[in-house]
Structure formats: C-alpha cells, structure tokens
Amino acid sequence: MENRMKQDAARPPRQRIPGDDNPVPVDPKDRFPPELSRHYEVYFKVRSDQKAKSVREIKADSLGKLVIMKGIVTRCTEVKPLLHVATYTCDECGSDSFQTISSSSFMPLFLCSNTACKTVQSGGRLYLQTRASKFVRFQELKVQEHSDSVPVGNIPRSITVHAVGETSRQAIPGDHVAITGIFLPIIRTGFGQMNMGLMSDTFIEAHRVAILNKSENEEMGLDPLSEEEIADAVAEGDGMYDRLAYSIAPEIYGHADIKKALLLLLVGGVDRNPRGMKIRGSINICLMGDPGVAKSQLLSYVDRLAPRSQYTTGRGSSGVGLTAAVMKDPLTGEMILEGGALVLADQGVCCIDEFDKMQDSDRTAIHEVMEQQTISIAKAGIMTSLNARVSILAAANPAFGRYNPKKSVEANIQLPAALLSRFDLLWLIQDKADRDNDLRLAQHITYVHMNQKQPPRKDDNHEPYDMKFLRRYIQTAKSYTPSIPEDLTELFTTCYVEMRRDARNILNAKHSTYTSARSLLGVLRMATALARLRLREQVLKEDVLEAIRLLESSKSSLAGEARTTRPQQVIDQIYQSIKDLFTEGEKRVSLDLVYERSTNKGFTRDQVDACLQEYEDLNVWSVNKARTNLMII
C-alpha cells in the first residue's frame, strides 16, 4: 500500500476533460505560480552618476519610476511576515488552489475552481493552508530629510519606505541612508478610499538600502587602516597623537588639551563586565565657558565627525525627547516605543548644547544614561530597558553669563553634584584679555576668513588629516581592547589618594569639583582610550600619566586665578549673609533676625551696625525709625 502511494505521488498529475477517456498529463511546473517556485529576488540599482534626492524633491513626476533618496531613519517597525502567495485546499476533491497577492489587502477564495468540483457541482469549500503558503519579510521605515535640505521656515518632511525580503533589517533608527526604490501610491479600498477621496498617500518600495556617512554623500563601508599605515602610526608615537588632536576642528584657534580630550571621547574606553556588573567605557565631557569661545563649533564638528551622533539643545529638548516616547503604531495600532536622541545615538555621541538652559526635570533623565548606559521605561503597560551606550558631550554657560572667579565653582556652574560627578572631564574656557594671545587669535580668524582654511603651523609642516582618515583611524582604534597590567595598580591608587587629599584641602575646596570614585574610573577610561589611540593592546605608564595630566589640566582651568584675588572683607561677608535672608519677592526682613543670623556666624553687633550704616549711606537699604525692620530700596 505504501509503495502504491509513493508511485501515485511521483506520477505527474493528469487533467481530466469531460467526455475524454484519456487524461492529458499536466506539467507540475504549470500548476504552481511562478512566485511560489522562484528561489531568487530581483532588485534594481540606479547608475553611479545619479545623485540622491531629498524627500522634498520627490514629486508626482516620479510616480512609478526608480528613484534614489537620502535621509535619516527615524522609526523602524518590527520585521513581520507578509503573505505573498496564498495556498488553499478543497475539502471535496483535495486539489490545491493558489492566489498571488500584490496589495496590502485581499479577498480570500471560498469556492473551488477545479474541473472535478465544477462537473459534479459539489460546491467544494477552500481552506487556507498556512504551511504551504509563501510569506516574505516586511518592515516599514520612516525616513526624514536632512536638516540642511529644509528650506527656511519649513519643517522636515518624512516618507514611508516598505522594505520587503532582503532589504529588511538593513537600517536602524538614527542611520543616514540612501534608499533606491520605486515611488508608488498607496492603493486603499473601502471606507479608507472614501475618506481619502481623490488623494492618495505615497511610499517607496525599497530595492537597495545603503548606509551613508553623516557629512559626506558616500557609503559607510570605510576600509580600516592597512598594516603599513598602522606601522607608521605606531612608529610616530606621540607625534601621531598630537597631529590627530590638531586635526580636530583645525579652523578653531588653540584649545589643544580640549581637542585631545574630544579625541579620547570619540575613541572611548573599554566596557568591563565583572560578574554581570557593567562599568561603562564611554567618556563624558562638559565644556563650560564664556560666550564666544567656540564651544558650539567644537560640538558641531564632533557631531559631523562621529559616524553615529545626535545634536540637540537644552531648551529644544524634553525628557521624553531625549529618552523614549510611547506612540501608537499607525500600521498595527499597537502601542510602541519611539526612541529619543539618546537611543538614536546608541554606540555614538550625543551633543547637547546650552546644557545649563535645560529644565531640571528634563535633566534628570540623563542621570541613568550617563552611568548605567540604559533607559528604563514603565509607560502604558510597556516595561523595558533600552540601551543607550552613548558618550555625552555637553556645552554650557556659567550661571552669571560669564565666569566669576570670586565665586565658588558650585555658584558659577549651578549644576547638581550628582550630575557633575558623572562627567569625566569638566573644562572651563575663559576669555581672558591678553594682548599677545588676542593678536594671534585675530590673525588666525582673519586668515581663515580670507583663505577658507586654517593657517600653516610654524612648528610643524604636516597638514591636518581629513575627516575620512580620522574616521578610518577611529574605527581601527576601536577594534583594540587594551588591558591594564598589575604593575600599574599602585600608580592608580596613589593618584586617587592624592586627588582626595587635594579635595579635602581648605584652600582648594572653594575652587574644585566634587571628587569621588568616579574620578578614578575616569582616569582608567582615559588611559585605555589612549592605549587604543596608540594602537596597543596594553596600557602603559605614559598613558596613565597623560590621563592624569588631562584631569589635572581640567581642574586647574576651574581654579584659574581665583587664589590670587584679595580676601573678602568682614563688611562684605556680613552684607552677603544679610542678602541671603531676603527671599525672592520679599523686600523687608526683621532686624532681630539679621542680628541673630550674623551673631551665629561669628560677627559682633558693632560690625553688623557698621555694615548696616555703610550700605544705608549707599542707598542699598534703609532701617525704619523704630529699628525693627530692614527694607531694600
């Protein structure tokens, strides 16, 4: 019986014609649609000399044509199966029927169209066979045009891209892509078309998805450094390190140590996972300084140089915009998470300008990202943790517009200590008046404006590297995972003990930042980043000393010349304590409270009376005749 069944299965099927006793053999290939038997996919690619268009430039004349478009991916759906060929089986005659589907909706078959069922008029019913049907991978992308392509006064436009088959899973949110595909209208049926009327939405059927560099219209596939280039870089030693740092924003004058720190931020340290506990390797830097010292220009250059980055500002960002937002998927109707700037910049750099202008409630969303490198979400029934392995590069102005050396670091910065301790380096850039330095700066700026490039250096004839070589070098350096030898343990411990001792010193307490164990981890991260930058698999003593030098240089920038200023007089101290008693909006305070507060701080009554009289003569405040209240004029 089994042999007979095998023979029947191997025998080609025959088509029976009514009134004919000799059945005609039917080729099995003719019974199946070509979409079911085809084992390959055909995609088209535009010519290499055709330039990519922006989303705004794709108009009605491109309908049905092959176009190439560039933009940034803002949202990706999950890859889901899309029914391409439906297979049905008849419950009467057992024959198979096939239905090719080419649109987003279809009407299933119910009646068997086989000749046997039509002859007998048995009315066989068809049932969908899922295992015999053909499904293809389907993913929907949302691509937004680049900000430099948006006209004045407009907002960026977006377009939907359908990726089917091998074109799916080619891009993730945050990637800059060039998509080749066919520009088509979305054909709707039923009430959807009635609501739309004569209008129709459009989409691009993707044929090719290529990842682009952010600032250049070339594909991302950069070749790493060759063995000869690596040997030359290792042989050059510290000269290569200085030249790479000089190549970062060479049009900006000075800031040599800051450029070295930005180079370490781009390379990054090595992540450690001791027994499941994660210690981040990304480096966070905060640039704080007076207006007009090129902080935003440095951020903009790093944003263009980094292969994966996001640029945002303090006032233009919210906590949800930085982390993740819960939205409704228009395709499936499910609640989904749409990543913010920190999620889109995963394994990259997030540049935040005007960091001091950000709301406190929004700034707290960065705390978890800067240390744990994750974003925990519990919204709308979605409880998950998103990866945000990102380096934070922030720029801020002091609290009073310009840095006041007479006040402490906390009074100038006015950022919480929990946030400041998460920055590995905190640089203060002051605009000090110096005739020689101002002359060189003016000559540098004038040369850049006249020649559209940086002036040549007198001490070095080498030209700075271009962005393409910097990206290749950083990509090669990130492939190294240097380790720290045991003989450097004492050097690290001694460094940390000395930093804590300096932080306890009374003379440095006013002009230093909070020092914790995170400062030691910051030195470890910078040392491993320096070893990566010098293309080594082991950290050396010179790497540790350079990391400590950068940390001390950043701290000395905070101290500045504050220690050489004159000590504050007793009357000035009493005036400051009285001024603190006036709350916001209040112009009157009890004189008994003034005497009590001043006495508790160690001042005598005569000193308080002298301060009251001196500032009353200056018309700062006035005391009533009964000497019970003090009122600000």
Side-chain angles (χ1 to χ4, degrees):
M1 185 67 180
E2 293 180 357
N3 294 333
R4 185 175 180 182
M5 292 177 62
K6 292 180 180 179
Q7 293 176 2
D8 293 339
R11 187 179 302 150
R14 294 175 177 267
Q15 182 178 3
R16 183 174 297 275
I17 301 175
D20 190 0
D21 295 336
N22 298 321
V24 180
V26 179
D27 190 358
K29 295 181 180 179
D30 297 337
R31 299 179 59 241
F32 300 101
E35 291 82 5
L36 197 61
S37 58
R38 187 186 301 138
H39 298 290
Y40 59 88
E41 296 177 358
V42 179
Y43 296 110
F44 294 94
K45 178 184 175 183
V46 297
R47 294 181 301 179
S48 58
D49 58 348
Q50 186 173 347
K51 293 185 179 180
K53 298 181 179 179
S54 65
V55 178
R56 198 176 296 268
E57 295 173 349
I58 301 176
K59 300 179 181 178
D61 57 351
S62 301
L63 276 174
K65 297 180 181 179
L66 190 68
V67 296
I68 180 170
M69 174 202 65
K70 63 179 180 179
I72 179 173
V73 180
T74 57
R75 185 169 59 87
C76 291
T77 62
E78 296 181 1
V79 178
K80 296 183 179 181
L82 178 68
L83 184 60
H84 191 46
V85 178
T87 302
Y88 302 91
T89 302
C90 179
D91 60 347
E92 291 290 338
C93 64
S95 62
D96 295 332
S97 300
F98 303 97
Q99 181 185 13
T100 303
I101 300 167
S102 58
S103 60
S104 58
S105 60
F106 73 103
M107 179 63 70
L109 301 178
F110 296 103
L111 297 179
C112 180
S113 60
N114 193 18
T115 309
C117 285
K118 287 184 177 180
T119 304
V120 183
Q121 295 183 356
S122 59
R125 304 284 294 180
L126 294 179
Y127 293 93
L128 180 66
Q129 299 295 325
T130 307
R131 298 183 61 182
S133 301
K134 182 179 180 180
F135 293 86
V136 294
R137 288 173 292 184
F138 175 81
Q139 187 180 27
E140 185 179 281
L141 310 178
K142 204 74 172 179
V143 179
Q144 181 178 295
E145 63 180 336
H146 288 138
S147 58
D148 54 358
S149 303
V150 181
V152 178
N154 295 74
I155 60 175
R157 291 185 181 178
S158 300
I159 194 170
T160 304
V161 178
H162 290 175
V164 181
E166 295 298 326
T167 57
S168 60
R169 293 194 179 98
Q170 296 294 318
I172 57 177
D175 285 343
H176 293 257
V177 295
I179 296 178
T180 304
I182 303 175
F183 187 52
L184 297 171
I186 298 178
I187 301 175
R188 303 184 185 275
T189 57
F191 290 104
Q193 183 62 34
M194 292 175 61
N195 294 330
M196 291 293 294
L198 298 178
M199 294 184 296
S200 176
D201 292 331
T202 55
F203 73 99
I204 289 182
E205 186 183 88
H207 280 233
R208 184 172 182 265
V209 179
I211 310 297
L212 297 179
N213 284 328
K214 188 165 186 179
S215 59
E216 302 172 5
N217 290 327
E218 60 181 12
E219 295 190 16
M220 192 62 139
L222 294 176
D223 297 328
L225 297 179
S226 61
E227 295 182 359
E228 293 80 6
E229 291 174 325
I230 293 176
D232 294 341
V234 173
E236 197 169 347
D238 289 339
M240 190 70 176
Y241 170 52
D242 296 334
R243 190 177 173 189
L244 287 170
Y246 170 68
S247 301
I248 291 183
E251 295 83 10
I252 297 176
Y253 175 75
H255 306 322
D257 285 343
I258 296 176
K259 292 180 180 180
K260 290 179 180 179
L262 296 179
L263 186 62
L264 298 183
L265 177 137
L266 290 168
V267 174
V270 181
D271 292 336
R272 303 295 182 186
N273 296 290
R275 295 185 180 181
M277 182 181 67
K278 182 179 179 181
I279 301 176
R280 65 178 171 93
S282 57
I283 299 173
N284 302 321
I285 296 178
C286 180
L287 303 179
M288 179 166 291
D290 299 333
V293 291
K295 300 187 300 296
S296 299
Q297 292 289 347
L298 288 172
L299 262 68
S300 177
Y301 187 89
V302 171
D303 176 51
R304 297 195 309 270
L305 177 61
R308 189 175 181 85
S309 65
Q310 289 292 323
Y311 187 93
T312 182
T313 58
R315 279 297 180 187
S317 304
S318 62
V320 174
L322 288 173
T323 55
V326 178
M327 300 182 65
K328 191 173 184 179
D329 190 356
L331 189 65
T332 61
E334 300 175 354
M335 300 301 292
I336 60 171
L337 283 176
E338 184 164 350
L342 296 174
V343 179
L344 295 180
D346 186 26
Q347 293 185 339
V349 182
C350 183
C351 302
I352 305 176
D353 202 0
E354 307 293 343
F355 192 62
D356 56 309
K357 311 297 190 303
M358 191 180 296
Q359 298 287 341
D360 293 338
S361 58
D362 299 331
R363 198 185 291 124
T364 54
I366 312 177
H367 285 218
E368 182 188 2
V369 176
M370 294 183 66
E371 198 60 42
Q372 276 73 36
Q373 303 277 283
T374 56
I375 295 175
S376 300
I377 297 293
K379 299 177 181 178
I382 301 175
M383 288 168 286
T384 184
S385 181
L386 304 175
N387 286 325
R389 296 155 293 185
V390 59
S391 297
I392 303 291
L393 176 59
N397 292 108
F400 307 99
R402 295 178 63 91
Y403 192 84
N404 188 358
K406 295 182 180 180
K407 296 184 178 294
S408 63
V409 176
E410 289 79 6
N412 277 283
I413 298 175
Q414 289 190 357
L415 291 177
L419 186 63
L420 289 179
S421 64
R422 286 171 163 82
F423 284 108
D424 300 298
L425 292 175
L426 180 62
W427 289 93
L428 175 63
I429 312 173
Q430 295 189 49
D431 186 13
K432 298 179 181 178
D434 183 6
R435 188 182 186 283
D436 296 335
N437 189 57
D438 293 343
L439 179 63
R440 290 191 295 267
L441 175 62
Q443 291 173 349
H444 184 97
I445 294 175
T446 306
Y447 188 93
V448 170
H449 270 264
M450 293 174 60
N451 300 278
Q452 303 297 321
K453 65 177 184 178
Q454 71 283 350
R457 292 192 295 176
K458 297 180 181 179
D459 55 345
D460 192 357
N461 296 326
H462 293 99
E463 288 290 328
Y465 294 116
D466 56 354
M467 275 193 176
K468 188 173 182 180
F469 180 82
L470 284 175
R471 290 193 188 98
R472 292 176 58 210
Y473 195 95
I474 292 171
Q475 178 184 350
T476 305
K478 283 186 174 182
S479 62
Y480 289 81
T481 55
S483 59
I484 300 176
E486 293 184 0
D487 55 351
L488 294 179
T489 305
E490 185 177 355
L491 181 60
F492 282 110
T493 54
T494 305
C495 164
Y496 178 64
V497 171
E498 289 181 355
M499 285 193 298
R500 294 284 287 184
R501 185 188 60 193
D502 293 341
R504 290 194 302 267
N505 192 355
I506 300 177
L507 296 177
N508 297 333
K510 182 180 178 182
H511 303 285
S512 64
T513 56
Y514 180 69
T515 303
S516 64
R518 287 174 177 165
S519 304
L520 176 60
L521 291 175
V523 175
L524 290 168
R525 279 188 283 270
M526 287 187 287
T528 53
L530 281 163
R532 271 182 164 183
L533 200 61
R534 289 163 176 163
L535 306 179
R536 288 198 297 259
E537 291 288 354
Q538 193 174 28
V539 178
L540 301 182
K541 184 177 180 180
E542 58 186 37
D543 300 328
V544 183
L545 295 178
E546 175 65 15
I548 296 174
R549 188 193 70 81
L550 287 175
L551 183 62
E552 292 297 330
S553 178
S554 67
K555 289 190 174 183
S556 63
S557 69
L558 293 172
E561 300 177 356
R563 299 176 189 175
T564 61
T565 57
R566 65 176 181 86
Q568 199 172 12
Q569 299 295 329
V570 175
I571 293 180
D572 296 336
Q573 296 177 12
I574 297 175
Y575 168 75
Q576 188 64 38
S577 65
I578 296 175
K579 184 180 177 182
D580 294 339
L581 293 177
F582 289 94
T583 59
E584 186 176 356
E586 292 289 336
K587 293 186 177 182
R588 182 175 299 179
V589 67
S590 173
L591 207 58
D592 294 335
L593 182 61
V594 171
Y595 285 122
E596 181 182 355
R597 180 66 61 86
S598 302
T599 305
N600 293 337
K601 290 188 176 183
F603 302 113
T604 62
R605 192 179 182 92
D606 294 337
Q607 292 174 338
V608 176
D609 290 335
C611 177
L612 293 174
Q613 185 63 39
E614 180 174 341
Y615 281 94
E616 189 175 8
D617 295 339
L618 295 174
N619 292 327
V620 175
W621 55 49
S622 63
V623 183
N624 61 350
K625 294 182 180 180
R627 297 192 67 82
T628 56
N629 292 325
L630 180 67
M631 186 173 64
I632 292 265
I633 298 177

